[in-house]
Amino acid sequence: MINQFKYLLIIFIFSMTSCSQQTNEEISARVTEIQKSNIPDKRLMFWNIDVISSEGENCLSGETASEKGFSELKSLAVQHDLKFEVELLPTERFKENVWGLVTLSVCNIRGKATHSSELLSQALLGTPVKVYKEEGGWYLIQTPDRYFGWVDDAAVSLKSNPELADWKNLKKVLFNKQFGFAYAGIDENTAIESDLLAGDLLSVIDSENKFYKTLFADGRRAFVKKDDCVSLEKWQTKKLVIDEVIECSAKFKGLPYLWGGTSSKMVDCSGFTKTVYYMNGIILQRDASQQTLHGELVDTANGYENLLPGDLVFFGRKASADTPEKVTHVGLYIGEKEFIHASGKVRINSLDKTKENYTEHYENAFVRSRRVIENVKGEGIEWIVDNEFYKEILP
């Protein structure tokens, strides 16, 4: 009789455990559905949600910046009588004053709040970012291309709304050399306050001789040669000149490749195309797999004759009956079947079999081409001056 009781008890415990596991699996599956329906691209929204056991109860735990996703998670918790420990970002500290400005010539954006984490992307000096939380000396930020990641807090200066309004009133210029410096005085022989890179956005508070007196977001004042800078007229007139885009791209030749790089120090493939178009007033999406979704599709079914300079050319794995398409690389078409791209270094290759710089791999891996010019429509290809982030800081 006792043995029978033990047997029944074991069966009961096993069935309860199996039921609990099944319930957790169902809830986890529903959480995944909520994430996919609200956040098709996790690079563009923060989502860190788990189903855990807390004090003997099933619990939804974590944080997200998706208001709709947060609301649906809350309903799920009520429906299944779950503890709800999900935080909607930004945290209380940043709900009213969400803005920050990059203070380094280029800052690294990582996948987690640690220097050993994967380098996802970079942001240039003066870039406006949204700050969602602080964790151990790191900020979770979103960049103007809507990319999320973590930066060391030394790289970003937080701004209250009144401070940001004052910042907006300052004249802005763009550093136009591939590399240079901001100085402590109106002399190149004075101390260096910072290095500078192409695309760094500088705020001008005064002008002395051949120098701009600039103010960094962290309070530093420095002098930059006027001849090394350009006005934002090209951005403000929203005029894209393809010859200037191609000329800009050539300045990056020989630059080393860096996964996650988006500056004139080092670039990856999509960081290169993105930076070239940024210098000409346009924001592209961060990654090649994102860039390939936007712009006019160029007909390349019968060859490359329809390609025009400035078109983006994409490479990777073509779709087949057994495998989906996977875009892994992007370059900038410059004419005569040649494209410039970052692979090992920024270099020019050809799609013409008769040319010395032809590489069979790229022709075999060619997926499609997209046209940027005439297609700056705000979704995936956006004028900088129309971007909600830059509107906060540009005069």
Side-chain angles (χ1 to χ4, degrees):
M1 188 72 178
I2 294 175
N3 287 339
Q4 184 179 8
F5 174 77
K6 287 182 177 178
Y7 174 76
L8 292 172
L9 181 61
I10 291 170
I11 293 297
F12 175 75
I13 293 172
F14 177 77
S15 64
M16 291 299 293
T17 302
S18 298
C19 181
S20 176
Q21 289 175 344
Q22 185 177 8
T23 301
N24 276 353
E25 289 174 2
E26 291 173 354
I27 294 170
S28 295
R30 179 62 187 132
V31 168
T32 300
E33 288 176 8
I34 293 172
Q35 178 254 304
K36 288 182 177 179
S37 66
N38 290 283
I39 309 169
D41 189 341
K42 288 185 70 175
R43 293 167 290 188
L44 306 183
M45 180 54 67
F46 190 76
W47 180 273
N48 182 26
I49 305 296
D50 290 310
V51 182
I52 65 172
S53 293
S54 176
E55 299 177 354
E57 298 181 70
N58 288 332
C59 174
L60 286 183
S61 175
E63 52 199 358
T64 180
S66 169
E67 292 186 15
K68 191 169 183 292
F70 176 84
S71 177
E72 291 185 21
L73 288 172
K74 202 167 186 178
S75 297
L76 179 67
V78 172
Q79 180 184 350
H80 290 274
D81 195 24
L82 307 172
K83 288 183 67 175
F84 189 71
E85 296 179 353
V86 177
E87 183 174 18
L88 178 61
L89 301 178
T91 60
E92 195 62 37
R93 178 184 177 188
F94 300 108
K95 285 193 186 299
E96 296 299 324
N97 296 278
V98 71
W99 295 102
L101 295 166
V102 174
T103 62
L104 306 179
S105 63
V106 59
C107 76
N108 294 327
I109 302 174
R110 300 193 177 273
K112 297 180 181 178
T114 169
H115 287 291
S116 60
S117 180
E118 178 189 9
L119 179 64
L120 299 179
S121 188
Q122 295 178 317
L124 295 171
L125 177 74
T127 300
V129 298
K130 288 184 178 180
V131 185
Y132 284 82
K133 68 174 293 187
E134 189 275 336
E135 183 179 295
W138 291 77
Y139 292 135
L140 174 66
I141 66 163
Q142 186 183 31
T143 52
D145 55 14
R146 280 69 175 185
Y147 222 78
F148 272 83
W150 293 88
V151 296
D152 188 307
D153 63 6
V156 171
S157 177
L158 303 178
K159 296 295 179 186
S160 67
N161 292 330
E163 288 172 334
L164 197 70
D166 290 340
W167 192 263
K168 181 182 176 74
N169 290 328
L170 296 177
K171 175 182 176 179
K172 306 293 190 303
V173 296
L174 200 67
F175 193 73
N176 197 40
K177 290 185 67 177
Q178 297 305 96
F179 191 82
F181 299 98
Y183 301 96
I186 50 173
D187 188 332
E188 292 178 70
N189 295 316
T190 58
I192 293 172
E193 288 293 334
S194 176
D195 69 317
L196 294 173
L197 300 173
D200 283 346
L201 190 60
L202 300 167
S203 294
V204 177
I205 56 175
D206 203 352
S207 176
E208 294 188 35
N209 298 330
K210 297 181 179 180
F211 287 80
Y212 287 125
K213 185 176 183 181
T214 65
L215 177 65
F216 284 49
D218 57 9
R220 285 177 293 165
R221 286 167 167 76
F223 292 87
V224 180
K225 292 175 65 177
K226 291 180 180 178
D227 288 346
D228 292 345
C229 303
V230 293
S231 73
L232 300 186
E233 181 182 2
K234 183 184 293 186
W235 287 9
Q236 292 159 340
T237 56
K238 297 197 287 191
K239 184 178 181 182
L240 186 62
V241 180
I242 289 302
D243 286 348
E244 294 177 358
V245 173
I246 303 305
E247 181 182 344
C248 177
S249 73
K251 294 178 181 178
F252 288 78
K253 280 183 65 178
L255 201 69
Y257 179 95
L258 174 68
W259 178 275
T262 62
S263 79
S264 55
K265 283 184 177 178
M266 293 181 174
V267 288
D268 63 20
C269 65
S270 54
F272 167 66
T273 54
K274 178 179 176 60
T275 301
V276 169
Y277 269 105
Y278 167 84
M279 294 296 293
N280 287 272
I282 288 175
I283 295 177
L284 299 181
Q285 291 293 283
R286 173 60 188 92
D287 296 335
S289 60
Q290 297 170 311
Q291 292 178 7
T292 196
L293 302 175
H294 304 283
E296 178 188 352
L297 183 64
V298 181
D299 183 3
T300 55
N302 298 313
Y304 309 113
E305 287 73 18
N306 293 326
L307 292 176
L308 294 176
D311 290 346
L312 298 179
V313 284
F314 297 95
F315 306 88
R317 181 183 67 204
K318 300 176 184 178
S320 70
D322 302 318
T323 57
E325 175 187 287
K326 187 175 183 180
V327 170
T328 58
H329 190 65
V330 61
L332 182 72
Y333 189 73
I334 59 176
E336 302 296 326
K337 295 187 179 180
E338 288 190 327
F339 62 98
I340 185 168
H341 62 130
S343 178
K345 62 182 177 183
V346 177
R347 55 196 172 102
I348 294 174
N349 280 105
S350 177
L351 295 166
D352 183 343
K353 292 183 175 66
T354 66
K355 296 296 178 64
E356 186 176 340
N357 58 347
Y358 169 80
T359 303
E360 184 179 10
H361 162 73
Y362 291 113
E363 184 164 38
N364 291 339
F366 180 84
V367 175
R368 72 173 57 81
S369 176
R370 294 277 187 180
R371 184 156 297 152
V372 174
I373 192 168
E374 307 288 338
N375 290 279
V376 190
K377 299 177 180 178
E379 184 179 343
I381 304 175
E382 184 178 21
W383 293 113
I384 291 174
V385 291
D386 291 338
N387 178 269
E388 65 167 305
F389 288 61
Y390 280 98
K391 280 183 176 180
E392 296 289 332
I393 66 162
L394 295 180

